[in-house]
Amino acid sequence: MRRRTLLSAAPLAAVTAAGLAACGSGSGGGGSNDSPDSLTYWASNQGTSLENDKEVLTPVLEKFTEETGIEVSLEVIGWSDLQTRIQTAITSGQGPDVLNIGNTWGVSLQATGGLLELGDAEFEALGGRDRYVPAALATGGAVDTDPTSIPLYGLAYGMYYNVQMFEDAGIEPPTTWEEMVEAAKALTDPDKDVYGMSLAAGSYTENNHFAFINATQNGASLNSPDGKPTFTEDGVVDGILRYLDLMQEHKVVNPSNAQFDNGTKSVTAFANKQAAMIINQNNANATIESQGMTPEEFKAVPFPAPADAVDDCASHLAGINLAAMADTDNRDGALAFMKFMTSPETQAELGKPFASLPVLVDGEPTFTDDTEQAEMFMEIYAERSAPLPLVPWEDQFETTVGQAMNSMFAKIATGGTVTREDVVTAMQTAQDSIRA
């Protein structure tokens, strides 16, 4: 079974140089403010709610203002809207000065030309390239190019389980996919509205992540060496069907989960003891605890691969990156803000409430006081994670494949059957739309 070490990795993989056509920008400038004493910042939802994010970030931004004299206008945007808002801002030229992006969007957004290129001069202003974990920084752009984003928060998937439910059933935490399924079956009791697992089965972002992870476990790739999509490869199709079968064949997922359009809803089901297990990124800790579970009531283990897996991948290289708009009217202020947000002090301060993994070399995790759990997630991030395709069409992979899986889960939830041939057809459609 293959393992990987990413934290000290060189550029991850060659990708095609062909990119998306650059979108035009309006003459009004990228930022809503044109004063050197102000910035606009779009933050992604990292905490338990949009309001929680504002509560966490406001004092941090006030420190930046105290240090620099630059006022920051904050807007927190939910994940269901963020990508569309960014694309609209790039097209119109009317957007923020600085923004968070999903790190899997790094190459796609770079290809639009709408984000500020970070060359040697910019990295000097940011404090140097060598501050950042190399593999995390590599998500900021295509190989052998100047990136257009830097890592802000690191994340990795884990499989969370309810300690008491496992102990009462005499079940050990699973180490293989097969053990996970058997545990889920033993803990499923539809009459009590309790299921072995909860999935965000209506979330295209979550679904495409597991299409990738399961395919990687099967030794399959989503793209060819020359950067073309390869979604119909056997390992990709079989990995998707394996994931769908948690609801379809094994019936360990409540069919209502097909309506769960974000990961928070599956976390809520877990916290309410309606599910014994969830597969979520390590920032689930904050949400679980905010809904009443104590740290002693849940644990996490690596998301297990099948016993005969080719690769023990347990997560994609997840996280949030930070970027500036190419046509910001306050370039120096934007770079100063990016440096501040990725300073060791700010990283440590935000790592706890946002349950993030450190993206700085020699950074220490602060999201949990459980040393064993922190080390486990850091090992997944360092050794058992792989980056989603570093190609300009990655965002199209997320939407086409993720939404196809949404539809397949919806079909299963309403009593239909999804066959392997159905998966092949859906992946062919997704692949053809990108190749076109």
Side-chain angles (χ1 to χ4, degrees):
M1 186 180 291
R2 292 202 299 261
R3 291 179 72 90
R4 59 183 63 75
T5 299
L6 289 179
L7 292 189
S8 59
L12 295 167
V15 298
T16 177
L20 301 175
C23 296
S25 296
S27 59
S32 298
N33 298 308
D34 57 8
S35 167
D37 297 327
S38 63
L39 289 170
T40 54
Y41 172 43
W42 285 359
S44 51
N45 179 202
Q46 301 303 128
T48 57
S49 67
L50 300 184
E51 285 303 317
N52 172 249
D53 281 84
K54 292 176 185 177
E55 292 171 5
V56 170
L57 287 170
T58 295
V60 174
L61 302 186
E62 288 173 349
K63 288 181 185 177
F64 174 74
T65 300
E66 290 173 6
E67 292 181 12
T68 64
I70 300 173
E71 296 281 348
V72 181
S73 175
L74 169 68
E75 181 179 359
V76 182
I77 302 173
W79 283 104
S80 59
D81 299 319
L82 182 60
Q83 192 171 21
T84 300
R85 290 282 303 275
I86 293 171
Q87 291 167 339
T88 301
I90 289 174
T91 302
S92 68
Q94 301 298 319
D97 295 289
V98 182
L99 65 160
N100 289 5
I101 67 171
N103 71 351
T104 62
W105 309 339
V107 178
S108 301
L109 292 177
Q110 178 195 44
T112 68
L115 302 182
L116 179 67
E117 287 189 6
L118 305 175
D120 292 341
E122 287 76 21
F123 270 104
E124 183 176 352
L126 292 169
R129 298 174 192 264
D130 58 358
R131 298 176 58 222
Y132 305 99
V133 170
L137 182 58
T139 64
V143 174
D144 297 328
T145 66
D146 288 331
T148 53
S149 61
I150 56 174
L152 178 62
Y153 308 124
L155 296 166
Y157 275 105
M159 198 210 72
Y160 288 82
Y161 66 96
N162 183 303
V163 173
Q164 192 63 54
M165 292 173 76
F166 268 65
E167 288 181 353
D168 289 348
I171 300 172
E172 293 294 320
T175 59
T176 66
W177 176 274
E178 293 82 2
E179 290 177 359
M180 182 187 76
V181 170
E182 289 307 309
K185 288 179 178 178
L187 294 165
T188 295
D189 188 347
D191 292 337
K192 296 181 179 179
D193 197 30
V194 174
Y195 286 79
M197 303 192 75
S198 182
L199 305 177
S203 165
Y204 80 87
T205 53
E206 291 293 306
N207 281 333
N208 80 71
H209 293 166
F210 289 104
F212 170 77
I213 295 168
N214 282 284
T216 303
Q217 291 175 346
N218 290 347
S221 175
L222 293 170
N223 60 281
S224 62
D226 63 349
K228 300 293 194 302
T230 54
F231 304 160
T232 57
E233 187 175 328
D234 285 347
V236 178
V237 172
D238 292 340
I240 290 173
L241 189 59
R242 181 166 73 231
Y243 190 65
L244 294 171
D245 275 343
L246 290 173
M247 182 184 290
Q248 178 169 249
E249 178 183 346
H250 305 305
K251 304 187 187 306
V252 297
V253 176
N254 191 327
S256 67
N257 287 191
Q259 300 177 51
F260 284 9
D261 59 1
N262 63 70
T264 302
K265 293 182 178 180
S266 59
V267 172
T268 299
F270 176 75
N272 291 338
K273 300 179 176 56
Q274 294 172 314
M277 291 178 277
I278 53 171
I279 311 160
N280 213 290
Q281 293 171 8
N282 57 281
N283 58 356
N285 284 44
T287 305
I288 295 171
E289 291 178 32
S290 74
Q291 299 199 30
M293 289 187 82
T294 67
E296 294 74 30
E297 290 182 299
F298 65 92
K299 294 289 185 184
V301 296
F303 173 54
D308 62 352
V310 176
D311 192 297
D312 70 347
C313 177
S315 179
H316 75 290
L317 192 67
I320 313 304
N321 283 6
L322 189 64
M325 295 289 283
D327 52 2
T328 174
D329 292 311
N330 193 353
R331 177 183 172 281
D332 291 343
L335 290 171
F337 181 69
M338 292 168 72
K339 181 180 181 181
F340 172 83
M341 290 296 287
T342 57
S343 67
E345 297 77 14
T346 304
Q347 286 281 293
E349 183 174 353
L350 293 177
K352 176 69 174 177
F354 289 163
S356 59
L357 300 173
V359 297
L360 300 179
V361 175
D362 299 326
E364 293 292 334
T366 60
F367 75 94
T368 178
D369 295 326
D370 187 328
T371 303
E372 181 181 350
Q373 290 287 280
E375 290 178 350
M376 186 270 294
F377 275 110
M378 286 298 292
E379 186 216 355
I380 294 171
Y381 189 64
E383 300 182 19
R384 297 183 62 181
S385 295
L388 268 71
L390 295 175
V391 291
W393 48 260
E394 191 284 330
D395 59 334
Q396 296 173 71
F397 153 71
E398 293 199 22
T399 54
T400 58
V401 172
Q403 289 173 358
M405 291 177 68
N406 286 8
S407 297
M408 288 186 277
F409 268 124
K411 182 177 180 179
I412 294 166
T414 54
T417 299
V418 174
T419 66
R420 190 179 190 281
E421 290 70 27
D422 293 332
V423 178
V424 171
T425 299
M427 292 306 99
Q428 186 69 61
T429 300
Q431 180 174 291
D432 289 347
S433 70
I434 295 172
R435 292 195 173 200

